[in-house]
Amino acid sequence: MPLYQMFCIASHFREYKHIKDLVTMSAMHVMNEGGVVRNIQFNGTQTLPERMRRHKQYYTVGDYWTMHFDTSPRTLRTLAGMMRRDHRVIRWTMLKLGEKAEDVVTSPEQTVERHLPTAPSKTSTHWSS
């Protein structure tokens, strides 16, 4: 199953319950379809870079969160449909990070030998005209 990252901006409510329900719904949908949720991160409430319109309403503040997950492309399409219909979601995007987790993990860098330049010799040849 491919590894994806979903970045979402949700409308801000005073109650924490709304964002919790949205994140739980998204994660449970992935898991119920046989996927694996690897990480959920809340990035805080922030002022949007510009006024955004979604579902006939304007927003200036949003809750930012990301979710890393493995799932099938079919489940990804149904999750996108759920995000599109949910009135709490202002913007979202999904990025494919790799075919498997090993594609994303970076291997440690190899040690590279560095040869320092040698000092110029004192018997250098000068060309004269």
Side-chain angles (χ1 to χ4, degrees), residues 47-54 57-61 90-91:
T47 303
L48 300 175
E50 61 183 25
R51 187 173 75 155
M52 295 184 183
R53 184 175 178 195
R54 184 77 179 164
Q57 290 184 341
Y58 287 97
Y59 299 95
T60 57
V61 176
I90 301 171
R91 295 279 191 278

Side-chain angles (χ1 to χ4, degrees), residues 3-128:
L3 176 64
Y4 295 99
Q5 176 184 14
M6 179 172 70
F7 178 77
C8 183
I9 303 172
S11 56
H12 179 68
F13 293 96
R14 289 186 189 266
E15 302 89 23
Y16 182 71
K17 168 177 95 78
H18 297 285
I19 187 75
K20 181 183 172 196
D21 290 344
L22 177 62
V23 172
T24 303
M25 177 199 65
S26 303
M28 290 304 295
H29 177 71
V30 170
M31 291 188 290
N32 288 340
E33 297 295 322
V36 177
V37 176
R38 296 189 176 271
N39 184 22
I40 297 173
Q41 181 178 358
F42 180 68
N43 298 327
T45 302
Q46 300 176 17
T47 303
L48 300 175
E50 61 183 25
R51 187 173 75 155
M52 295 184 183
R53 184 175 178 195
R54 184 77 179 164
H55 298 292
K56 299 180 182 178
Q57 290 184 341
Y58 287 97
Y59 299 95
T60 57
V61 176
D63 294 328
Y64 288 68
W65 60 279
T66 58
M67 180 171 73
H68 289 83
F69 57 98
D70 296 311
T71 192
S72 67
R74 183 179 59 83
T75 305
L76 190 71
R77 284 190 298 273
T78 59
L79 181 60
M82 291 170 62
M83 292 290 139
R84 188 177 301 111
R85 290 186 298 273
D86 198 316
H87 288 278
R88 297 171 289 192
V89 176
I90 301 171
R91 295 279 191 278
W92 81 97
T93 188
M94 297 188 201
L95 305 171
K96 182 177 179 180
L97 300 178
E99 280 298 319
K100 50 190 173 203
E102 291 82 23
D103 294 343
V104 180
V105 176
T106 58
S107 61
E109 291 186 23
Q110 298 288 331
T111 304
V112 178
E113 275 189 46
R114 290 181 46 180
H115 298 284
L116 298 174
T118 58
S121 66
K122 294 181 181 181
T123 59
S124 61
T125 309
H126 294 293
W127 296 93
S128 60

